[in-house]
Amino acid sequence: AIMGPSGSGKTTQAVNLARKFLRRGVRARFFNAYEITRRAMSSRAALDEFADCDLVVLDDLFKGAPRPSSSRYDSFFAATTELLWRRYDARAPLIITTERGWHDFVSFDAAFAGRVLECSTRVDCGARDRRLDDQRGVRVSANDAVHA
């Protein structure tokens, strides 16, 4: 899992990693986590599409997810869980990017979180948004954004 705040380079790192696999002949697909989960809620075909490739990049896991109090939360949770378990059960490579930390994986699905921790490498992109740094010429940390 590649973790860090918005603008820290998570997606770029994931895409570059996937490109390395593509050059070696591995079939790779890039999915926005919210979009594929939304599609999976209404169509089994989305689940098959997600499962039917060698390597999957799942970008921005948990971003845009409904709050637990939302009426859509249960179906969103079920679809996301099924997507993740399908990759795990097939022992199929999965690159996840997220703004959240490991505690969110545990609260989302502790059994899955344990398996992810067991067989993955965590990459922390740091606590700054490089897009803001570039635009303003100043260094902005995630803590600054919280207290702004």
Side-chain angles (χ1 to χ4, degrees):
I2 302 173
M3 300 174 171
S6 176
S8 62
K10 301 176 302 295
T11 300
T12 300
Q13 286 187 25
V15 168
N16 288 338
L17 190 56
R19 283 184 179 148
K20 287 182 179 186
F21 282 95
L22 286 167
R23 283 191 285 261
R24 293 184 177 141
V26 174
R27 294 176 313 134
R29 294 283 308 267
F30 180 94
F31 294 96
N32 171 279
Y34 176 78
E35 183 60 29
I36 191 67
T37 302
R38 189 186 60 73
R39 286 177 40 215
M41 288 169 58
S42 60
S43 167
R44 300 292 300 173
L47 290 168
D48 295 336
E49 181 183 356
F50 187 77
D52 188 35
C53 50
D54 300 328
L55 171 71
V56 167
V57 175
L58 187 62
D59 191 43
D60 279 332
L61 184 63
F62 304 119
K63 193 171 197 171
R67 301 218 180 273
S69 58
S70 167
S71 60
R72 293 185 20 231
Y73 180 78
D74 287 341
S75 57
F76 191 89
F77 174 84
T80 302
T81 302
E82 184 161 355
L83 289 169
L84 297 173
W85 277 107
R86 275 191 175 211
R87 296 302 296 178
Y88 178 80
D89 287 343
R91 302 293 190 257
L94 174 64
I95 299 170
I96 298 170
T97 71
T98 184
E99 294 177 0
R100 305 288 184 89
W102 282 116
H103 63 279
D104 291 299
F105 279 85
V106 172
S107 64
F108 181 74
D109 184 330
F112 181 76
R115 285 163 180 84
V116 168
L117 285 169
E118 173 186 47
C119 62
S120 70
T121 300
R122 180 181 150 222
V123 177
D124 189 344
C125 288
R128 68 178 226 258
D129 184 332
R130 287 193 281 257
R131 288 186 212 129
L132 292 175
D133 290 355
D134 293 343
Q135 294 297 315
R136 298 181 186 159
V138 297
R139 185 180 171 112
V140 179
S141 74
N143 291 336
D144 293 336
V146 170
H147 301 295

